[in-house]
Amino acid sequence: MPELVALDLDGGRPFVDALVGVWERGDAVAVLDRRLPAPAAAELMAMLRPSAIIDSHGERRLPEGAGVEAGDALVVATSGSLGTRRAAVLTYAAVAASARATSQAVGVDPVRDIWLCCLPLAHIGGLSVVTRSLLSATPVVVLPSFDASVVEALGRRRKATHVSLVPTALGRLDPSVFTKIVLGGAAPPEALPPNVVTTYGMTETGSGVVYDGVPLEGVEVAFGSGG
């Protein structure tokens, strides 16, 4: 049975290498939120029940791992905005479909473009930047956290062409240094630069599925009262 492996690493090349290594052996990945206080981190581990964990010291086995199903790629904890936090399972097929659709929607050229990941990797908004880069063979730069000066400098030097941001981060840098900015996670400001694409999605959808109000190919959207 495939296993679930928790990654307890800062953003950077070691994180990407660990993710690729787990995927290559057919296991699934759960990224731990390193910002959580100890009680919340323990609660998250109890919910995920990984069979192993990879941190800066290497990989070690954990007792009573729950395992995953064949084809599962990611297990991502939801934000809990609708109540209790829970684990959303994303298959390799779902992650690959999201990577293809998103890359097409924002016109990414794997030969010319470079993704920048500066959002938390424990959430789908950040993690999906890494996974779509891997699955579309597009170069990616992964930062341990958002630093406006570092992010802007990478864009200005063309060391990154595409980036995913939240609205609060957008206002802290010059957006014109990027070819395209994918904006999500909260309501966007009324006035947006022409290179910004607004998105809507959920953890369960593997990233944004509506771009500038238009559903991605294969996505159906229905409006209702929720009652």
Side-chain angles (χ1 to χ4, degrees):
M1 174 184 293
E3 297 182 327
L4 179 63
V5 180
L7 300 188
D8 185 15
L9 296 166
D10 284 329
R13 177 50 55 181
F15 176 91
V16 177
D17 290 344
L19 173 60
V20 171
V22 172
W23 274 6
E24 285 182 341
R25 67 196 198 201
D27 292 331
V29 165
V31 180
L32 302 182
D33 191 341
R34 310 193 82 198
R35 304 166 302 171
L36 292 177
E43 181 180 344
L44 178 62
M45 286 290 286
M47 178 180 70
L48 295 173
R49 294 176 61 195
S51 298
I53 185 170
I54 298 177
D55 57 21
S56 59
H57 301 291
E59 181 173 356
R60 68 180 186 276
R61 305 291 302 174
L62 298 174
E64 301 180 0
V68 294
E69 299 294 329
D72 290 345
L74 302 173
V75 178
V76 187
T78 65
S79 62
S81 58
L82 299 179
T84 305
R85 296 184 75 186
R86 54 194 180 83
V89 179
L90 299 172
T91 65
Y92 285 100
V95 175
S98 175
R100 288 192 301 269
T102 300
S103 298
Q104 182 177 1
V106 296
V108 172
D109 181 349
V111 176
R112 182 188 63 226
D113 296 323
I114 304 170
W115 275 105
L116 172 60
C117 176
C118 56
L119 296 178
L121 293 163
H123 299 290
I124 198 64
L127 184 57
S128 63
V129 177
V130 178
T131 57
R132 82 171 60 109
S133 298
L134 294 173
L135 292 170
S136 64
T138 305
V140 61
V141 175
V142 184
L143 301 180
S145 60
F146 176 79
D147 183 311
S149 61
V150 173
V151 170
E152 183 174 320
L154 287 169
R156 196 173 298 281
R157 292 159 48 207
R158 305 305 288 173
K159 297 296 184 181
T161 60
H162 290 62
V163 63
S164 286
L165 297 176
V166 294
T168 53
L170 179 65
R172 297 172 58 189
L173 50 79
D174 178 3
S176 69
V177 301
F178 292 98
T179 301
K180 195 76 69 176
I181 296 174
V182 178
L183 192 69
E190 291 187 8
L192 289 172
N195 62 329
V196 172
V197 177
T198 59
T199 68
Y200 172 79
M202 300 181 294
T203 303
E204 292 85 349
T205 63
S207 186
V209 291
V210 177
Y211 279 63
D212 280 343
V214 179
L216 295 180
E217 182 179 353
V219 175
E220 296 182 0
V221 177
F223 296 92
S225 63

PDB file of all heavy atoms in Angstrom, residues 6 41-43 49 72 91 97 109-110 129 181 199 201 204 210 213:
ATOM      1  N   ALA A   6       5.114  12.941   5.421  1.00  0.00           N
ATOM      2  CA  ALA A   6       5.014  14.345   5.794  1.00  0.00           C
ATOM      3  C   ALA A   6       6.340  15.045   5.510  1.00  0.00           C
ATOM      4  O   ALA A   6       7.414  14.506   5.804  1.00  0.00           O
ATOM      5  CB  ALA A   6       4.662  14.478   7.272  1.00  0.00           C
ATOM      6  N   ALA A  41       0.110  21.752  15.788  1.00  0.00           N
ATOM      7  CA  ALA A  41       0.937  20.868  14.962  1.00  0.00           C
ATOM      8  C   ALA A  41       0.697  19.409  15.332  1.00  0.00           C
ATOM      9  O   ALA A  41       0.608  18.537  14.453  1.00  0.00           O
ATOM     10  CB  ALA A  41       2.408  21.230  15.133  1.00  0.00           C
ATOM     11  N   ALA A  42       0.559  19.134  16.624  1.00  0.00           N
ATOM     12  CA  ALA A  42       0.291  17.765  17.074  1.00  0.00           C
ATOM     13  C   ALA A  42      -1.079  17.305  16.615  1.00  0.00           C
ATOM     14  O   ALA A  42      -1.264  16.150  16.207  1.00  0.00           O
ATOM     15  CB  ALA A  42       0.403  17.691  18.595  1.00  0.00           C
ATOM     16  N   GLU A  43      -2.053  18.213  16.644  1.00  0.00           N
ATOM     17  CA  GLU A  43      -3.404  17.882  16.182  1.00  0.00           C
ATOM     18  C   GLU A  43      -3.396  17.569  14.687  1.00  0.00           C
ATOM     19  O   GLU A  43      -4.081  16.641  14.230  1.00  0.00           O
ATOM     20  CB  GLU A  43      -4.341  19.053  16.475  1.00  0.00           C
ATOM     21  CG  GLU A  43      -5.780  18.814  16.066  1.00  0.00           C
ATOM     22  CD  GLU A  43      -6.665  20.002  16.383  1.00  0.00           C
ATOM     23  OE1 GLU A  43      -6.247  20.863  17.180  1.00  0.00           O
ATOM     24  OE2 GLU A  43      -7.775  20.069  15.816  1.00  0.00           O
ATOM     25  N   ARG A  49      -1.849  11.350  10.100  1.00  0.00           N
ATOM     26  CA  ARG A  49      -1.305  10.017  10.379  1.00  0.00           C
ATOM     27  C   ARG A  49      -0.342   9.549   9.287  1.00  0.00           C
ATOM     28  O   ARG A  49      -0.528   8.514   8.657  1.00  0.00           O
ATOM     29  CB  ARG A  49      -2.435   9.004  10.545  1.00  0.00           C
ATOM     30  CG  ARG A  49      -3.321   9.255  11.765  1.00  0.00           C
ATOM     31  CD  ARG A  49      -4.470   8.285  11.802  1.00  0.00           C
ATOM     32  NE  ARG A  49      -3.994   6.899  11.892  1.00  0.00           N
ATOM     33  CZ  ARG A  49      -4.771   5.831  11.657  1.00  0.00           C
ATOM     34  NH1 ARG A  49      -6.036   6.008  11.307  1.00  0.00           N
ATOM     35  NH2 ARG A  49      -4.265   4.621  11.756  1.00  0.00           N
ATOM     36  N   ASP A  72      -2.915   8.401  -5.146  1.00  0.00           N
ATOM     37  CA  ASP A  72      -2.974   9.623  -4.346  1.00  0.00           C
ATOM     38  C   ASP A  72      -1.622  10.325  -4.391  1.00  0.00           C
ATOM     39  O   ASP A  72      -0.566   9.687  -4.242  1.00  0.00           O
ATOM     40  CB  ASP A  72      -3.330   9.314  -2.888  1.00  0.00           C
ATOM     41  CG  ASP A  72      -4.767   8.847  -2.733  1.00  0.00           C
ATOM     42  OD1 ASP A  72      -5.558   9.024  -3.685  1.00  0.00           O
ATOM     43  OD2 ASP A  72      -5.099   8.307  -1.658  1.00  0.00           O
ATOM     44  N   THR A  91      -5.409  13.323  -6.160  1.00  0.00           N
ATOM     45  CA  THR A  91      -4.727  12.277  -6.902  1.00  0.00           C
ATOM     46  C   THR A  91      -3.709  12.860  -7.870  1.00  0.00           C
ATOM     47  O   THR A  91      -3.737  14.058  -8.183  1.00  0.00           O
ATOM     48  CB  THR A  91      -5.730  11.424  -7.690  1.00  0.00           C
ATOM     49  OG1 THR A  91      -6.346  12.256  -8.688  1.00  0.00           O
ATOM     50  CG2 THR A  91      -6.794  10.836  -6.771  1.00  0.00           C
ATOM     51  N   ALA A  97      -4.037  17.454 -14.031  1.00  0.00           N
ATOM     52  CA  ALA A  97      -5.064  18.192 -14.765  1.00  0.00           C
ATOM     53  C   ALA A  97      -5.047  19.667 -14.376  1.00  0.00           C
ATOM     54  O   ALA A  97      -5.178  20.554 -15.230  1.00  0.00           O
ATOM     55  CB  ALA A  97      -6.433  17.587 -14.501  1.00  0.00           C
ATOM     56  N   ASP A 109       5.053  29.316 -20.888  1.00  0.00           N
ATOM     57  CA  ASP A 109       5.935  28.620 -21.821  1.00  0.00           C
ATOM     58  C   ASP A 109       7.073  28.006 -21.010  1.00  0.00           C
ATOM     59  O   ASP A 109       7.909  28.734 -20.455  1.00  0.00           O
ATOM     60  CB  ASP A 109       6.495  29.597 -22.848  1.00  0.00           C
ATOM     61  CG  ASP A 109       7.408  28.929 -23.873  1.00  0.00           C
ATOM     62  OD1 ASP A 109       7.782  27.758 -23.672  1.00  0.00           O
ATOM     63  OD2 ASP A 109       7.765  29.583 -24.868  1.00  0.00           O
ATOM     64  N   PRO A 110       7.144  26.670 -20.895  1.00  0.00           N
ATOM     65  CA  PRO A 110       8.172  26.039 -20.074  1.00  0.00           C
ATOM     66  C   PRO A 110       9.600  26.368 -20.499  1.00  0.00           C
ATOM     67  O   PRO A 110      10.529  26.277 -19.689  1.00  0.00           O
ATOM     68  CB  PRO A 110       7.891  24.535 -20.243  1.00  0.00           C
ATOM     69  CG  PRO A 110       6.454  24.466 -20.637  1.00  0.00           C
ATOM     70  CD  PRO A 110       6.206  25.694 -21.469  1.00  0.00           C
ATOM     71  N   VAL A 129       1.900  25.772  -6.957  1.00  0.00           N
ATOM     72  CA  VAL A 129       2.911  26.397  -7.820  1.00  0.00           C
ATOM     73  C   VAL A 129       4.049  25.409  -8.069  1.00  0.00           C
ATOM     74  O   VAL A 129       4.540  25.264  -9.190  1.00  0.00           O
ATOM     75  CB  VAL A 129       3.447  27.692  -7.185  1.00  0.00           C
ATOM     76  CG1 VAL A 129       4.558  28.294  -8.045  1.00  0.00           C
ATOM     77  CG2 VAL A 129       2.334  28.699  -6.992  1.00  0.00           C
ATOM     78  N   ILE A 181       0.765  37.680 -12.901  1.00  0.00           N
ATOM     79  CA  ILE A 181       0.565  37.448 -11.473  1.00  0.00           C
ATOM     80  C   ILE A 181      -0.786  36.773 -11.285  1.00  0.00           C
ATOM     81  O   ILE A 181      -1.813  37.291 -11.742  1.00  0.00           O
ATOM     82  CB  ILE A 181       0.611  38.759 -10.677  1.00  0.00           C
ATOM     83  CG1 ILE A 181       1.997  39.395 -10.774  1.00  0.00           C
ATOM     84  CG2 ILE A 181       0.242  38.507  -9.212  1.00  0.00           C
ATOM     85  CD1 ILE A 181       2.092  40.760 -10.126  1.00  0.00           C
ATOM     86  N   THR A 199      -8.184  34.600  -9.410  1.00  0.00           N
ATOM     87  CA  THR A 199      -8.580  33.195  -9.408  1.00  0.00           C
ATOM     88  C   THR A 199      -9.492  32.883  -8.232  1.00  0.00           C
ATOM     89  O   THR A 199      -9.475  33.566  -7.207  1.00  0.00           O
ATOM     90  CB  THR A 199      -7.354  32.267  -9.306  1.00  0.00           C
ATOM     91  OG1 THR A 199      -6.752  32.410  -8.007  1.00  0.00           O
ATOM     92  CG2 THR A 199      -6.334  32.590 -10.374  1.00  0.00           C
ATOM     93  N   GLY A 201     -10.704  29.204  -6.199  1.00  0.00           N
ATOM     94  CA  GLY A 201     -10.589  27.758  -6.090  1.00  0.00           C
ATOM     95  C   GLY A 201     -10.614  27.340  -4.636  1.00  0.00           C
ATOM     96  O   GLY A 201     -10.785  28.179  -3.737  1.00  0.00           O
ATOM     97  N   GLU A 204      -9.742  21.487  -2.257  1.00  0.00           N
ATOM     98  CA  GLU A 204     -10.235  20.269  -2.902  1.00  0.00           C
ATOM     99  C   GLU A 204     -10.115  20.309  -4.427  1.00  0.00           C
ATOM    100  O   GLU A 204     -10.121  19.261  -5.070  1.00  0.00           O
ATOM    101  CB  GLU A 204     -11.698  20.040  -2.519  1.00  0.00           C
ATOM    102  CG  GLU A 204     -11.913  19.691  -1.053  1.00  0.00           C
ATOM    103  CD  GLU A 204     -12.024  20.900  -0.145  1.00  0.00           C
ATOM    104  OE1 GLU A 204     -11.735  22.029  -0.601  1.00  0.00           O
ATOM    105  OE2 GLU A 204     -12.399  20.720   1.033  1.00  0.00           O
ATOM    106  N   VAL A 210     -11.370  28.972 -11.535  1.00  0.00           N
ATOM    107  CA  VAL A 210     -12.019  30.073 -12.248  1.00  0.00           C
ATOM    108  C   VAL A 210     -11.014  31.206 -12.365  1.00  0.00           C
ATOM    109  O   VAL A 210     -10.496  31.688 -11.350  1.00  0.00           O
ATOM    110  CB  VAL A 210     -13.283  30.558 -11.517  1.00  0.00           C
ATOM    111  CG1 VAL A 210     -13.892  31.761 -12.236  1.00  0.00           C
ATOM    112  CG2 VAL A 210     -14.300  29.431 -11.404  1.00  0.00           C
ATOM    113  N   GLY A 213     -13.031  35.207 -13.724  1.00  0.00           N
ATOM    114  CA  GLY A 213     -14.455  34.941 -13.851  1.00  0.00           C
ATOM    115  C   GLY A 213     -14.840  33.872 -14.845  1.00  0.00           C
ATOM    116  O   GLY A 213     -16.028  33.575 -15.022  1.00  0.00           O
TER     117      GLY A 213
END
